[in-house]
mmCIF file of all heavy atoms in Angstrom:
data_model
loop_
_atom_site.group_PDB
_atom_site.id
_atom_site.type_symbol
_atom_site.label_atom_id
_atom_site.label_comp_id
_atom_site.label_asym_id
_atom_site.label_seq_id
_atom_site.Cartn_x
_atom_site.Cartn_y
_atom_site.Cartn_z
ATOM 1 N N ALA A 275 -11.702 -7.664 -20.035
ATOM 2 C CA ALA A 275 -12.721 -8.639 -20.411
ATOM 3 C C ALA A 275 -12.413 -9.178 -21.798
ATOM 4 O O ALA A 275 -11.576 -8.641 -22.528
ATOM 5 C CB ALA A 275 -14.105 -7.990 -20.390
ATOM 6 N N ALA A 276 -13.109 -10.242 -22.173
ATOM 7 C CA ALA A 276 -12.967 -10.778 -23.522
ATOM 8 C C ALA A 276 -13.583 -9.810 -24.524
ATOM 9 O O ALA A 276 -14.323 -8.893 -24.168
ATOM 10 C CB ALA A 276 -13.638 -12.147 -23.614
ATOM 11 N N ALA A 277 -13.273 -10.013 -25.805
ATOM 12 C CA ALA A 277 -13.771 -9.136 -26.856
ATOM 13 C C ALA A 277 -15.293 -9.049 -26.810
ATOM 14 O O ALA A 277 -15.986 -10.064 -26.695
ATOM 15 C CB ALA A 277 -13.319 -9.644 -28.228
ATOM 16 N N SER A 278 -15.807 -7.819 -26.860
ATOM 17 C CA SER A 278 -17.249 -7.519 -26.870
ATOM 18 C C SER A 278 -17.933 -7.806 -25.539
ATOM 19 O O SER A 278 -19.162 -7.691 -25.445
ATOM 20 C CB SER A 278 -17.986 -8.289 -27.979
ATOM 21 O OG SER A 278 -17.446 -7.973 -29.242
ATOM 22 N N MET A 279 -17.187 -8.176 -24.522
ATOM 23 C CA MET A 279 -17.759 -8.456 -23.215
ATOM 24 C C MET A 279 -17.522 -7.271 -22.272
ATOM 25 O O MET A 279 -16.493 -6.618 -22.347
ATOM 26 C CB MET A 279 -17.156 -9.726 -22.601
ATOM 27 C CG MET A 279 -17.480 -10.994 -23.349
ATOM 28 S SD MET A 279 -19.249 -11.439 -23.231
ATOM 29 C CE MET A 279 -19.854 -10.900 -24.827
ATOM 30 N N PRO A 280 -18.479 -6.971 -21.374
ATOM 31 C CA PRO A 280 -18.333 -5.805 -20.498
ATOM 32 C C PRO A 280 -17.508 -6.123 -19.257
ATOM 33 O O PRO A 280 -17.313 -7.276 -18.892
ATOM 34 C CB PRO A 280 -19.784 -5.490 -20.101
ATOM 35 C CG PRO A 280 -20.448 -6.834 -20.103
ATOM 36 C CD PRO A 280 -19.795 -7.615 -21.222
#
Side-chain angles (χ1 to χ4, degrees):
S278 301
M279 294 292 102

